[in-house]
Amino acid sequence: ILNNFFEIFGESYSWWLVPVLFVGFFIGLILLHACVFLLSFAVTKTDSSQDKGAKYYRFLAKITVPLILKIALVDIRLHGKDPDEIPKDRRMLFVCNHQHDFDPVIMLSVFGDSEIGFIGKKEIYEKMPIVGKFMHKLYGLPIDRENNREGVKTIIKAINILKEDKASIGLFPEGYTNKGDGLLPFRNGAFKIAYKAKVPIVVCALSGTRQIPKRMCRKKSVVDFNVIDVIYPEDFEGLTTAELGDKIHSQMEKALK
């Protein structure tokens, strides 16, 4: 390309061509990626098999998530344990406080190699079809927060995904997006997933995601992400779900302060 345009680049007025071509190439790649992403999920159905094309969709996620964060000008600052030290040879239950719908994107970025599928409110699947299809193909599960019987079914599905070594599971035990400071009470029944699947629990806390939509693409947003602890099955074997929930609640509360 440079050889073909060598004479033009040699002119005195051509100093602006390099940045223009660079920006144009970058925008072109973003548009191409957006087209591939949208076409991939346009033909996807939320009742289709999650196993079909799982590697492709996980690969697509590993490209898309960093791109979203770059465009949105999000800077993630890590605290606590090094995410690279989290074991990669086994499935995990990832739990975190919940401040905004952007939280799963942050967790997918921090734990990019952990293959997390999130349990999310069913309204996402109904009102945000592309996001819902994206979550579905990453082994995400919708949950009806107002129907306990349906909630139990979702928990059973999550346990099976972990037992069958298909993906790790991420959830927000508060159950709802917290609009204020501190933490909402936990729905401790969700911790049964770790008990039944016999997997470690990775405890995290984050802050700063509420500002992202207001600053997106205009000003940098700083998100503090704290990998607090890894609790192994032998460590919570003698605890009830309520006792385990209180312990994790306390850890998150302390980290947020």
Side-chain angles (χ1 to χ4, degrees):
I1 292 172
L2 291 178
N3 281 333
N4 290 333
F5 289 94
F6 183 77
E7 292 183 4
I8 297 176
F9 278 113
E11 299 295 335
S12 59
Y13 59 79
S14 66
W15 59 270
W16 52 269
L17 283 176
V18 173
V20 167
L21 288 173
F22 180 82
V23 172
F25 186 67
F26 181 71
I27 293 173
L29 283 177
I30 292 175
L31 292 174
L32 177 62
H33 177 81
C35 290
V36 172
F37 183 87
L38 292 173
L39 286 172
S40 296
F41 291 100
V43 297
T44 301
K45 296 181 179 179
T46 52
D47 58 356
S48 63
S49 170
Q50 291 176 298
D51 299 331
K52 189 176 181 180
K55 289 184 178 179
Y56 166 74
Y57 289 104
R58 188 66 66 178
F59 170 75
L60 195 59
K62 291 190 74 171
I63 299 173
T64 304
V65 168
L67 184 61
I68 290 172
L69 295 177
K70 287 290 185 184
I71 294 173
L73 302 179
V74 177
D75 180 19
I76 302 175
R77 296 181 181 175
L78 297 174
H79 308 274
K81 294 181 179 293
D82 186 343
D84 291 333
E85 295 177 2
I86 302 300
K88 304 294 190 301
D89 59 343
R90 59 195 300 185
R91 296 303 180 187
M92 303 272 188
L93 178 67
F94 291 82
V95 298
C96 188
N97 64 307
H98 199 13
Q99 294 191 344
H100 192 269
D101 289 341
F102 219 92
D103 296 346
V105 178
I106 302 298
M107 292 182 70
L108 284 173
S109 174
V110 174
F111 302 109
D113 296 325
S114 295
E115 299 184 344
I116 305 175
F118 287 92
I119 295 178
K121 57 187 178 182
K122 68 183 182 74
E123 290 81 5
I124 291 176
Y125 291 76
E126 296 169 354
K127 298 178 181 179
M128 304 170 70
I130 294 295
V131 176
K133 291 176 179 181
F134 188 52
M135 290 177 63
H136 173 73
K137 279 302 183 179
L138 298 185
Y139 288 99
L141 297 169
I143 189 167
D144 188 341
R145 298 171 295 180
E146 308 303 327
N147 188 323
N148 290 335
R149 181 175 292 183
E150 292 300 316
V152 170
K153 290 180 182 179
T154 299
I155 287 175
I156 292 171
K157 289 179 182 178
I159 292 168
N160 290 333
I161 287 173
L162 288 167
K163 284 185 173 181
E164 293 168 10
D165 194 27
K166 292 181 176 179
S168 291
I169 295 293
L171 61 85
F172 304 99
E174 290 173 283
Y176 291 87
T177 305
N178 188 355
K179 304 297 183 182
D181 297 325
L183 289 172
L184 298 173
F186 281 178
R187 296 191 167 198
N188 295 320
F191 295 116
K192 290 181 180 178
I193 295 172
Y195 282 87
K196 296 292 184 181
K198 297 180 180 179
V199 295
I201 301 172
V202 182
V203 184
C204 311
L206 58 73
S207 62
T209 50
R210 293 193 195 107
Q211 65 182 320
I212 295 174
K214 301 173 185 177
R215 299 186 171 200
M216 188 174 290
C217 306
R218 296 185 301 106
K219 294 176 64 177
K220 184 169 77 172
S221 300
V222 176
V223 175
D224 288 291
F225 193 92
N226 195 328
V227 184
I228 303 168
D229 195 9
V230 180
I231 308 176
Y232 291 89
E234 54 268 27
D235 297 326
F236 57 78
E237 188 175 2
L239 301 177
T240 65
T241 53
E243 291 171 335
L244 178 60
D246 289 342
K247 176 181 178 179
I248 294 174
H249 194 282
S250 177
Q251 287 179 318
M252 283 190 194
E253 209 164 34
K254 183 178 179 181
L256 289 171
K257 288 179 180 178

